[in-house]
Amino acid sequence: MAQKMIYFGFMFGVWLVYVGFIVPIFLLFMSLGQSLHIAMIVASVLTFLFIIVQRTFRGLHLINQLQKNI
């Protein structure tokens, strides 16, 4: 359970970093409300992609481990 909480905390931190970097860029082109809204959407998509890539490579690592043991 503690590992899941650490993982979710890390993912939330990744999401916050994405929002923190994206909002100033969008502020150049739109208002604060619009930039926050779109930055949260973009950060969520990027975080989901990060999770998918991370799990894919973890699965590939496990496959390689199994092949070495055979």
Side-chain angles (χ1 to χ4, degrees):
M1 183 68 181
Q3 286 181 339
K4 285 190 177 186
M5 293 303 294
I6 292 170
Y7 182 74
F8 288 133
F10 176 71
M11 285 300 122
F12 183 69
V14 168
W15 185 83
L16 283 176
V17 167
Y18 285 149
V19 170
F21 282 118
I22 294 171
V23 168
I25 295 169
F26 284 156
L27 275 174
L28 297 172
F29 306 107
M30 35 185 118
S31 69
L32 178 65
Q34 288 176 327
S35 63
L36 280 172
H37 186 85
I38 297 200
M40 286 190 286
I41 293 170
V42 171
S44 297
V45 170
L46 288 174
T47 303
F48 286 131
L49 287 174
F50 179 75
I51 291 170
I52 290 169
V53 168
Q54 182 185 24
R55 290 184 182 226
T56 301
F57 281 110
R58 184 186 313 165
L60 291 175
H61 177 68
L62 291 175
I63 291 170
N64 287 337
Q65 290 277 330
L66 288 173
Q67 287 178 348
K68 285 181 183 178
N69 291 335
I70 293 178

